[in-house]
Amino acid sequence: TQRRPPNSMAKVMRERSRSGALSCIPPENLLIGVPKKGRLHEQCIKLLVDGAGLDYRRPERVDIAHCKDAPVSLIFLPAHDIATYVSEGNVDMGITGQDVMAETEPDCANLETVVQLGFGRCKLAVQGPMSENIKDVASLAGKRIVTSFPVIAEKFFRQYETEATGKTKIKFVSGSVEAACQLGLADGIVDLVETGTTMRAAGLEIVEKIMDTQAVLIKSKKALHPELIATITRRIQGHITATQYQMIQYNVKRENLERAIVITPGKRSPTITGLDDNEWVAVSALVLRKEVQNIADKLEAVGADSILIFSIQNTRM
């Protein structure tokens, strides 16, 4: 069950050649690997443009794009190959899934996870036909499993294999894994499940979850531009904080301030400002976006007024 190798572009990028397809990349540019298509592509682009300020121009049918206001080039690559490129230093940073990280782990000694990005959440699971009503994943050991994650699948089923079952027959398929059981190619599959709609449409159900996964920002330990990597990382972390939090401001009497601060402790601490009326103070604090309405109700209950809620564009924490 050999994992597929990266495509031929890796050989060119390994030497950071300035000839051929990469001749247009300035040598001082940071290279970021981005999924060229698939479930993570659109959210990655939104993160890089809106969150990191990396506005770019990408010519049609070209997998290299240069950013307008930063020495950064985006390299659009197959998602399964990004971890390998980053580990080998072909690109400095990349965005991929934790599932891909786990699949390429044996070859990724020089790779480091920088930030968990919070999108692309799903689970990698063993799935079987509903008609078979498989309750014990061990019953699939030794049988035919089709997957795009052969390394993970082989490692997972190894724990259930016995002399009687023999070795599980793992077959790599790069796409349309869900059809394998219906076509008689497999007894079960290992694949990603997000909403479960595609899985159920194919007559499949989860037998056992292997892992949860989400998108992650990764960097190479061989990266050529550590200061620029740190800058991009801070921008992205600031954007993530901005999407998770909102700013709440309110006025409250000093006698009720202690109770109000318990409700809005802030990310580090609230900002408290005196008002012309010495009996009152103004308070500003970051609060979790998903909790903001409940927090506003609680503040009203302890006597706060002039409660204002603001969205945040970006942060540096």
Side-chain angles (χ1 to χ4, degrees):
T1 58
Q2 294 294 319
R3 183 175 51 81
R4 60 176 179 170
N7 62 32
S8 59
M9 189 177 181
K11 296 180 180 178
V12 182
M13 297 178 68
R14 184 172 293 115
E15 302 298 329
R16 289 289 173 91
S17 169
R18 293 300 173 241
S19 62
L22 297 181
S23 62
C24 61
I25 300 180
E28 69 273 13
N29 274 23
L30 176 76
L31 305 186
I32 302 179
V34 183
K36 64 191 302 182
K37 58 182 180 180
R39 66 187 185 91
L40 298 180
H41 173 77
E42 288 188 8
Q43 293 178 88
C44 288
I45 296 305
K46 181 175 176 61
L47 175 70
L48 293 172
V49 175
D50 297 342
L54 299 179
D55 196 14
Y56 67 92
R57 178 180 176 275
R58 182 185 181 187
E60 188 176 358
R61 297 186 180 182
V62 175
D63 288 336
I64 299 171
H66 304 306
C67 297
K68 297 177 181 178
D69 300 315
V72 176
S73 295
L74 306 183
I75 315 296
F76 294 88
L77 299 166
H80 265 78
D81 295 339
I82 288 175
T84 301
Y85 287 133
V86 174
S87 179
E88 293 184 4
N90 308 136
V91 296
D92 302 296
M93 304 182 78
I95 299 176
T96 190
Q98 290 172 316
D99 50 296
V100 175
M101 295 273 289
E103 178 67 16
T104 56
E105 183 178 8
D107 302 323
C108 291
N110 293 310
L111 185 150
E112 182 180 336
T113 298
V114 182
V115 183
Q116 293 184 359
L117 298 175
F119 62 80
R121 294 181 185 273
C122 57
K123 49 183 171 278
L124 185 65
V126 179
Q127 302 167 41
M130 292 180 181
S131 58
E132 297 294 328
N133 196 29
I134 301 170
K135 299 299 183 184
D136 185 3
V137 72
S139 65
L140 288 171
K143 295 187 177 179
R144 302 170 302 160
I145 302 295
V146 165
T147 184
S148 299
F149 301 90
V151 173
I152 296 174
E154 183 175 333
K155 181 179 179 180
F156 177 80
F157 278 103
R158 193 179 302 144
Q159 63 187 312
Y160 298 108
E161 292 168 356
T162 64
E163 188 174 335
T165 66
K167 189 171 177 61
T168 306
K169 303 165 188 67
I170 310 291
K171 185 176 182 64
F172 174 81
V173 173
S174 61
S176 301
V177 175
E178 301 90 352
C181 293
Q182 291 178 323
L183 295 174
L185 187 63
D187 301 298
I189 68 170
V190 172
D191 200 16
L192 295 171
V193 181
E194 193 167 1
T195 64
T197 302
T198 303
M199 175 185 67
R200 290 187 291 272
L204 301 171
E205 61 184 356
I206 292 177
V207 179
E208 186 163 319
K209 182 180 75 174
I210 297 177
M211 65 178 292
D212 292 307
T213 179
Q214 63 174 298
V216 288
L217 179 69
I218 57 178
K219 72 175 183 179
S220 173
K221 295 179 182 178
K222 302 178 181 179
L224 302 179
H225 309 283
E227 292 184 2
L228 189 50
I229 285 177
T231 297
I232 299 300
T233 300
R234 286 194 298 271
R235 290 182 182 186
I236 289 175
Q237 288 173 325
H239 175 73
I240 291 171
T241 299
T243 61
Q244 293 174 339
Y245 288 84
Q246 288 184 293
M247 179 67 72
I248 193 164
Q249 294 182 352
Y250 58 91
N251 296 338
V252 66
K253 283 189 173 182
R254 291 184 184 274
E255 63 190 52
N256 297 324
L257 178 59
E258 188 173 338
R259 287 191 294 164
I261 290 177
V262 170
I263 299 168
T264 59
K267 203 167 188 296
R268 185 172 292 117
S269 65
T271 298
I272 302 170
T273 306
L275 299 177
D276 288 342
D277 185 338
N278 289 330
E279 292 186 4
W280 289 77
V281 293
V283 181
S284 301
L286 284 178
V287 296
L288 285 170
R289 181 181 294 269
K290 62 184 179 181
E291 297 176 2
V292 68
Q293 295 301 333
N294 287 333
I295 288 172
D297 293 339
K298 291 177 181 178
L299 288 172
E300 280 190 304
V302 298
D305 72 1
S306 303
I307 300 171
L308 303 175
I309 299 167
F310 302 94
S311 292
I312 306 168
Q313 188 68 30
N314 209 311
T315 68
R316 293 291 192 277
M317 305 300 289

